[in-house]
Amino acid sequence: MATKALVGEFDSGWERMLGLYDRRSDWGLTACEAGYNAKGDCRRPEKRYADFPDALRAFLRRTGYLR
């Protein structure tokens, strides 16, 4: 999805991803948006996303692939 966003093909990539991702998986649905302390613990409770598309969209925004 990051590559598709960079080359201007986000919409077609998103439609393909929606048809292919595993809706039963809960892998990657949390994010430590506050950063980590010296011990490697999240400074605040991790954010939990409802599903993979929500988590992916947030990641792509956070990392600059989407605005």
Side-chain angles (χ1 to χ4, degrees), residues 5-46:
L6 289 176
V7 299
E9 298 176 4
F10 178 82
D11 291 338
S12 66
W14 193 258
E15 289 302 315
R16 181 159 170 77
M17 177 279 298
L18 288 175
L20 294 173
Y21 82 95
D22 182 356
R23 286 164 173 75
R24 296 168 299 183
S25 176
D26 64 355
W27 182 85
L29 297 184
T30 60
C32 178
E33 296 179 348
Y36 297 93
N37 64 23
K39 293 181 181 179
D41 299 320
C42 191
R43 290 187 176 117
R44 282 186 262 159
E46 289 186 319

